[in-house]
Amino acid sequence: MLFTRSILTLFLVRHLSESTASEKQRATAEMVAKAAHVSRVAVSRAFNPSASIKAEKRERILKIASELNYTPDRAARALVTRRSHLVGVIVPDVCSPWESQEIDALTTALQAEGFATLLFKTRIDLSMDETLLTYMKGFNLDSIIAYAENVTPETLSRVLDRAVPIYVTYDQWEAADNDDTGLLYDRLNVHQHEGIEQAVALLHGYGVKKLAYLTGKAQSRANTARLTTLRKVMAARGMAAPIICEGDFSYDCAHAAVLDLFKFGEKPDAIFAANDEGAFGALDALRFELGLRVPEDVKVIGFDDINQSHWRSYNLTTVKVDLDLRIKSLIRLILRRLKQPDAPPMIEHVPTRLVVRGTVG
Amino acid sequence: MLFTRSILTLFLVRHLSESTASEKQRATAEMVAKAAHVSRVAVSRAFNPSASIKAEKRERILKIASELNYTPDRAARALVTRRSHLVGVIVPDVCSPWESQEIDALTTALQAEGFATLLFKTRIDLSMDETLLTYMKGFNLDSIIAYAENVTPETLSRVLDRAVPIYVTYDQWEAADNDDTGLLYDRLNVHQHEGIEQAVALLHGYGVKKLAYLTGKAQSRANTARLTTLRKVMAARGMAAPIICEGDFSYDCAHAAVLDLFKFGEKPDAIFAANDEGAFGALDALRFELGLRVPEDVKVIGFDDINQSHWRSYNLTTVKVDLDLRIKSLIRLILRRLKQPDAPPMIEHVPTRLVVRGTVG
C-alpha cells in the first residue's frame, strides 16, 4: 500500500494539473521556473500569498505563469500536503453586527496568511445539523473556529479528522469541560470580569440601586457567563442581585422586553444589556415609548462595543473586547496548531474594558 | 493521455480515500451500502445535503457510515466530478450592514443547496490583488458572485477556468460592457429606477425644492448608477439637479459631510443618501449638531432598507431591494449555470420599492 501510495502521489503531482486542465495545454511548475530563470521553490512561493518573496519577483513569475497557463491545483496540493488552506467559521448569524465585525476582521487577517474563510451557519437554536457536520468533513479544513456555543467539542471532533477546533470561551467557566472530555481543542478565553467590574463600579459610583440585566439567548454561553460574572461582581460590592429581563440579543426583543419591564414589572434605574444591539432596543424603548431620559432617569450599558455604539443617536457606554487582539490571538492559535498538530491544548487570553460614552453619566 | 487520465481517475476514486486516511482504516461507499442494505447511489445521496432522501433513511446510512469510518473525500470528488461545492463571494467589506445581510442570507440559502460559502475581501479601493485572484483559482469554485464592482469580468475570467461569474448590475447601465468584451458572465440586474422614482415623487409631493444627494464611494457602480437614475428622474419632473454631497457609504463620513454642507454650503431641504448607513450619519448630524428637525426642517431618504432602518432612533424612509428575491435569483443563476455551462449569458431582474417610515412626512 505504501508503494502504491507513493506512486500515486507522483502521479498526482505530475499529471493532475493535466487531468483538470481546460482545453488549453497546461505548463508544469518546472516549465515556469525555467522560463522565469528561478528555482522550482520560488514558483511555489510566488503562488502562496503568505510566503515571503520580493514583490517584483513574484509579479514576474505570476506573469510568466499566466502566459504559459500554469496554475497550482489546490485540490491536488491538498491531497499531497494534506493542507487545504481553508479555515471554517461556524456562526449562528452572520449579519448580527458583532459576528459580522469578527468575520470581516478574521477574513482579512486569514487572507493575509494565505487562508480563505469558509462560512457555516447553525440552526436558530444554535445546534448543528448532522448532515452539515459530515459535509464539512469533506472539505479537509485546516482549522475551525466555533462561535456557535452549542456545538460541543465532542460533536465537532467526530467530523474533523485533522483540524483541532478553536473555541471562544468566557472567563474560566468551561475549564471543567476541557479536562473531563479528554478531547483536544484550543481556546480563546475572553476575560469578561474586568470589563464587567468596571461597568458595575461606574454604575455603583453613580448611585444605581436597582440594576436589570437584559439577557441574550438562553442557550448562549457568552450570555450565561456574563450573568454569572455580573452576579459575582455585584454581590462582592454588597449590591442587590440584578433583576432579570429576558431578551435574545436582538433589538426588537429588547425593545419589547424593556417596555414590559417598565409597564408591568419593577422599574430599574439602570439596564445592563447582554449586547449592544439589545442596549439600542432598550434605549429606544426608554426614550420614545416610555418618555424617560437617559442617563438622567435610567442608565444603560451594553457589551461588545460594535461599530454602531458610537453613533450619536446611541452614544453607548459599553464593555469592549478588543477586536484586533482577538483576531491576532485566533490567528496565533491557528498557525501554532498547524505547526504542532500534537501539542497539548493551547489557550490565548483576551481582556475586556469599559468604554465610557454618554448613557451612564 | 486519455488512457492515463482514466486509469488515474480509477486510482483516485478507489485509493484516495485511503491515501488521505487517518490511522484508522476507512471503508468504501460500497461497504456502507452493503451494511445498510441500500444502493451505492443512496449512500451518495445521504452525504449530499441537497439531495432528496427520506430523513430516517439518511440518518441510518450516516450512522452506519460513521461506525465504519467512511466519509466521501470532497477534494477527491472535486477532481473526479470537477465540482467543488464552493461558491466564492467577493466583497469589499463584510461588516457593512448591507453586505453582511446579503452574506448571511446567501450562506443560508447556499447551505440548503449543498454549497459552502467562501469569502474573499478586496482592497480598500475595491480592486483585487493579483496574487489573491490566482490563489482563488486553485479552489476550483463552482460559482463566484462579485459585489466588488471594480473587479472586471476580464480580470475574473482570467482566473476562473470553469466558473462563470455573476455580477450584480444596476439598471441597464452596463449592457454595453457585456456586449463589447464577449466574455461570459451572468447578471443579477437591480432595477433602481422604480424605487428612486417613488422616492422622488414623495419628496416632490411634500414640496421639496432643493435635494442633495449624499454619495457613496466614488468607484462604486451602485453609487454611480443611483446618481444617474436620480438625475434622470428629477429632470423628468422638471426639478432642479441635485446638489452633490460627497460621502463614502459610511456613517462617519456622512455625518461630517452633512455638517460641512449646512455650515459652508447650500442648505438643502432634503437629503437622498446613497445608502442607509449614510442616512443615519446625516440624521444624527441634522438633529444633534445642527439642531434641525426631521422631517419638518429637512427630509431624509436612504437606500437598501437594512435591518437597522426600522430602529426607532432612525425610523428611516428608504428604497428597498427585496433580499429574499435577490437571494433566490442568485441561487437560480448559480444552479442553472451549473446545469448548462455553455448557455449564453443569463440575467435575472430584481425590483425595488419605497418603504415609507418617518423621515419624510
Side-chain angles (χ1 to χ4, degrees):
Chain A
M1 191 40 56
L2 253 170
F3 182 67
T4 316
R5 220 180 275 177
S6 17
I7 294 284
L8 221 215
T9 307
L10 285 173
F11 262 81
L12 279 171
V13 174
R14 276 211 47 164
H15 294 281
L16 259 160
S17 37
E18 295 169 36
S19 71
T20 56
S22 59
E23 301 303 309
K24 295 180 264 187
Q25 225 185 354
R26 284 245 185 128
T28 60
E30 287 77 17
M31 286 166 68
V32 174
K34 207 169 193 172
H37 305 296
V38 297
S39 66
R40 171 72 179 78
V41 168
V43 175
S44 257
R45 293 178 80 79
F47 278 91
N48 180 357
S50 64
S52 78
I53 173 175
K54 273 210 182 115
E56 172 269 340
K57 187 173 184 183
R58 187 198 293 271
E59 228 181 277
R60 187 164 54 85
I61 295 172
L62 292 183
K63 187 171 183 296
I64 289 168
S66 171
E67 286 163 11
L68 295 179
N69 194 26
Y70 166 76
T71 186
D73 190 303
R74 203 161 279 278
R77 280 176 64 197
L79 292 168
V80 175
T81 65
R82 307 208 61 209
R83 290 278 295 271
S84 61
H85 298 271
L86 291 173
V87 171
V89 178
I90 305 179
V91 282
D93 179 2
V94 175
C95 80
S96 105
W98 178 79
E99 265 105 16
S100 62
Q101 268 188 193
E102 290 274 320
I103 288 162
D104 175 61
L106 196 56
T107 303
T108 304
L110 285 172
Q111 224 166 259
E113 299 284 342
F115 296 97
T117 307
L118 204 57
L119 275 183
F120 297 102
K121 288 195 62 184
T122 63
R123 292 192 282 227
I124 292 178
D125 64 0
L126 300 185
S127 67
M128 285 203 78
D129 188 54
E130 280 297 321
T131 312
L132 178 64
L133 285 169
T134 316
Y135 164 65
M136 276 168 50
K137 190 174 192 181
F139 281 115
N140 188 31
L141 300 169
D142 279 348
S143 183
I144 189 142
I145 298 168
Y147 290 105
E149 303 144 299
N150 261 25
V151 186
T152 61
E154 292 91 324
T155 305
L156 271 191
S157 60
R158 264 193 292 129
V159 298
L160 300 169
D161 253 340
R162 192 172 56 76
V164 173
I166 295 170
Y167 270 85
V168 180
T169 61
Y170 303 88
D171 301 314
Q172 293 298 328
W173 205 73
E174 284 148 60
D177 288 6
N178 208 349
D179 303 342
D180 289 352
T181 61
L183 288 166
L184 189 61
Y185 66 88
D186 298 326
R187 284 208 284 150
L188 177 78
N189 195 40
V190 179
H191 289 257
Q192 304 191 122
H193 197 276
E194 304 144 346
I196 292 177
E197 171 72 62
Q198 293 166 15
V200 173
L202 189 67
L203 293 170
H204 200 194
Y206 273 100
V208 162
K209 297 271 177 288
K210 219 193 264 181
L211 173 67
Y213 175 71
L214 172 61
T215 78
K217 282 184 177 148
Q219 322 90 318
S220 157
R221 288 190 179 189
N223 174 61
T224 319
R226 251 153 246 183
L227 179 53
T228 304
T229 299
L230 178 65
R231 286 190 205 275
K232 279 191 201 157
V233 166
M234 291 181 76
R237 287 178 162 265
M239 292 171 79
I243 302 160
I244 303 304
C245 178
E246 284 189 32
D248 67 358
F249 288 135
S250 75
Y251 173 99
D252 290 332
C253 185
H255 192 270
V258 167
L259 281 183
D260 280 354
L261 183 66
F262 279 78
K263 285 183 184 172
F264 309 118
E266 307 187 53
K267 296 178 186 15
D269 51 6
I271 298 174
F272 196 147
N275 69 335
D276 292 341
E277 206 176 323
F280 301 154
L283 282 165
D284 282 350
L286 291 167
R287 288 168 173 160
F288 291 101
E289 315 288 332
L290 298 164
L292 294 167
R293 300 162 305 168
V294 175
E296 297 89 342
D297 300 323
V298 186
K299 292 156 181 35
V300 177
I301 290 191
F303 199 106
D304 282 339
D305 192 32
I306 57 176
N307 191 44
Q308 289 87 327
S309 298
H310 86 288
W311 287 1
R312 192 63 184 77
S313 279
Y314 297 111
N315 202 28
L316 183 68
T317 294
T318 179
V319 176
K320 179 190 181 71
V321 182
D322 193 300
L323 184 63
D324 255 6
L325 279 178
R326 245 183 111 107
I327 299 305
K328 283 194 169 87
S329 302
L330 284 169
I331 301 286
R332 259 201 302 272
L333 284 169
I334 292 171
L335 296 177
R336 280 169 56 204
R337 177 57 66 187
L338 283 171
K339 281 207 179 86
Q340 310 161 55
D342 300 314
M346 304 190 225
I347 182 165
E348 291 269 344
H349 300 276
V350 181
T352 57
R353 63 177 182 86
L354 187 67
V355 173
V356 179
R357 292 195 182 92
T359 55
V360 175
Chain B
M1 187 42 54
L2 254 170
F3 183 67
T4 315
R5 220 180 276 179
S6 15
I7 295 285
L8 221 214
T9 307
L10 285 173
F11 262 82
L12 279 171
V13 174
R14 276 210 45 165
H15 295 282
L16 260 160
S17 35
E18 297 169 33
S19 70
T20 56
S22 57
E23 299 305 309
K24 297 179 261 183
Q25 229 186 350
R26 284 240 184 131
T28 60
E30 287 76 18
M31 285 165 67
V32 174
K34 208 168 193 175
H37 305 296
V38 298
S39 67
R40 169 75 177 76
V41 168
V43 174
S44 257
R45 294 178 82 76
F47 278 92
N48 180 358
S50 64
S52 77
I53 173 174
K54 273 208 182 116
E56 173 268 341
K57 189 173 182 181
R58 189 198 291 274
E59 227 181 279
R60 188 162 55 82
I61 295 173
L62 291 183
K63 186 171 183 297
I64 289 170
S66 171
E67 286 161 13
L68 294 179
N69 194 27
Y70 165 76
T71 186
D73 190 304
R74 206 160 275 279
R77 280 175 65 197
L79 292 168
V80 175
T81 64
R82 307 208 62 208
R83 289 279 294 271
S84 62
H85 298 271
L86 291 172
V87 171
V89 178
I90 305 179
V91 282
D93 179 359
V94 176
C95 80
S96 106
W98 178 79
E99 265 105 17
S100 60
Q101 267 187 196
E102 289 274 317
I103 289 161
D104 175 62
L106 196 56
T107 303
T108 306
L110 284 172
Q111 222 165 262
E113 298 286 343
F115 295 97
T117 307
L118 203 56
L119 275 182
F120 298 102
K121 289 195 63 186
T122 63
R123 292 192 280 227
I124 293 177
D125 65 0
L126 300 187
S127 66
M128 287 203 76
D129 188 55
E130 279 298 320
T131 312
L132 178 64
L133 283 169
T134 315
Y135 163 65
M136 276 167 51
K137 190 175 192 179
F139 281 115
N140 188 31
L141 300 168
D142 279 346
S143 182
I144 189 143
I145 298 168
Y147 291 104
E149 302 142 301
N150 261 24
V151 187
T152 61
E154 292 91 324
T155 306
L156 271 191
S157 59
R158 264 194 289 127
V159 299
L160 299 169
D161 255 338
R162 190 173 55 76
V164 173
I166 295 170
Y167 270 87
V168 179
T169 62
Y170 303 90
D171 300 314
Q172 292 298 329
W173 207 73
E174 284 147 59
D177 289 7
N178 207 350
D179 302 341
D180 290 352
T181 61
L183 289 166
L184 187 61
Y185 65 88
D186 297 325
R187 283 209 284 151
L188 177 77
N189 196 40
V190 180
H191 289 257
Q192 304 190 123
H193 197 276
E194 304 144 349
I196 292 176
E197 170 73 61
Q198 291 166 17
V200 173
L202 187 68
L203 293 170
H204 199 194
Y206 273 100
V208 160
K209 298 271 176 288
K210 217 193 265 183
L211 173 68
Y213 174 70
L214 172 61
T215 78
K217 282 187 176 145
Q219 321 91 318
S220 157
R221 287 189 180 191
N223 174 62
T224 320
R226 250 154 246 183
L227 178 54
T228 304
T229 299
L230 178 65
R231 286 191 206 275
K232 280 192 203 157
V233 167
M234 291 180 77
R237 285 177 164 267
M239 292 171 80
I243 302 160
I244 303 304
C245 179
E246 285 188 31
D248 67 358
F249 287 136
S250 75
Y251 173 100
D252 291 332
C253 185
H255 192 271
V258 166
L259 282 183
D260 280 354
L261 182 66
F262 279 77
K263 284 183 185 172
F264 310 117
E266 308 188 51
K267 294 176 185 23
D269 51 7
I271 298 173
F272 196 147
N275 69 334
D276 291 341
E277 205 176 326
F280 301 153
L283 281 165
D284 282 350
L286 291 166
R287 288 169 173 160
F288 291 101
E289 315 289 330
L290 298 165
L292 294 168
R293 300 163 305 169
V294 176
E296 296 89 342
D297 300 323
V298 185
K299 292 154 182 35
V300 177
I301 290 192
F303 199 106
D304 282 342
D305 192 32
I306 58 177
N307 189 44
Q308 290 88 326
S309 298
H310 85 286
W311 288 0
R312 192 63 185 76
S313 279
Y314 298 111
N315 200 29
L316 183 68
T317 294
T318 179
V319 177
K320 179 189 182 70
V321 182
D322 193 312
L323 184 63
D324 255 5
L325 279 179
R326 246 184 109 107
I327 300 306
K328 284 193 170 81
S329 302
L330 284 169
I331 301 286
R332 258 200 305 272
L333 284 168
I334 292 171
L335 295 177
R336 280 170 55 207
R337 176 56 67 187
L338 283 170
K339 281 207 181 80
Q340 309 160 54
D342 300 312
M346 303 190 225
I347 183 166
E348 291 269 345
H349 300 275
V350 181
T352 57
R353 61 177 184 85
L354 187 67
V355 173
V356 179
R357 293 196 180 90
T359 55
V360 175

